[in-house]
Amino acid sequence: QVHLVESGGGLVQPGGSLRLSCAASGLAFSNYAMNWHRQAPGKKRELVAAITRVGDSSIYADSVKGRFTISRDNTENTVFLQMSSLKPEDTAVYFCQAANGQDNFWGQGTQVTVSS
């Protein structure tokens, strides 16, 4: 069975950094683009970052561009989201998603809280 498990979330002060990880199992990891989404209370889930299957290209929401970096290690079946200069508005549950033309899988999410 496919499992995506996020980790690395927590409480951080504004301006701080966190690195999220999403470990995948049960799928051919390198055949999937990997995405990070987030959902804040009362808001719709939004795409934060995406990375291609081989990790040669990425895209970011304007709100995080220049602060967040998505990367992947296909030898470890893991995608990362390095977050820096965190703002209170980054507070959300962060979900990783594996997607190809036929399948779509989600992790359970990890909470990121940015607060002083």
Side-chain angles (χ1 to χ4, degrees):
Q1 285 290 292
V2 173
H3 292 282
L4 303 176
V5 181
E6 300 96 336
S7 62
L11 176 64
V12 64
Q13 293 188 0
S17 298
L18 284 174
R19 190 178 79 157
L20 306 183
S21 299
C22 174
S25 61
L27 79 170
F29 184 74
S30 62
N31 289 340
Y32 290 81
M34 295 298 299
N35 308 315
W36 285 98
H37 296 249
R38 68 185 181 187
Q39 188 166 19
K43 301 181 70 175
K44 294 182 177 180
R45 190 170 298 186
E46 64 174 341
L47 178 69
V48 175
I51 190 166
T52 56
R53 289 171 292 176
V54 299
D56 61 342
S57 184
S58 58
I59 191 170
Y60 300 91
D62 287 342
S63 59
V64 308
K65 198 170 299 180
R67 300 187 297 119
F68 290 12
T69 301
I70 188 171
S71 61
R72 67 190 295 161
D73 185 344
N74 285 354
T75 69
E76 297 291 336
N77 291 353
T78 303
V79 63
F80 305 94
L81 185 68
Q82 179 67 50
M83 306 183 294
S84 62
S85 301
L86 283 162
K87 305 174 180 179
E89 52 262 46
D90 296 319
T91 296
V93 178
Y94 285 71
F95 301 88
C96 67
Q97 177 198 36
N100 65 14
Q102 301 178 16
D103 297 313
N104 209 300
F105 303 103
W106 293 85
Q108 291 297 307
T110 185
Q111 176 71 48
V112 172
T113 302
V114 184
S115 176
S116 59

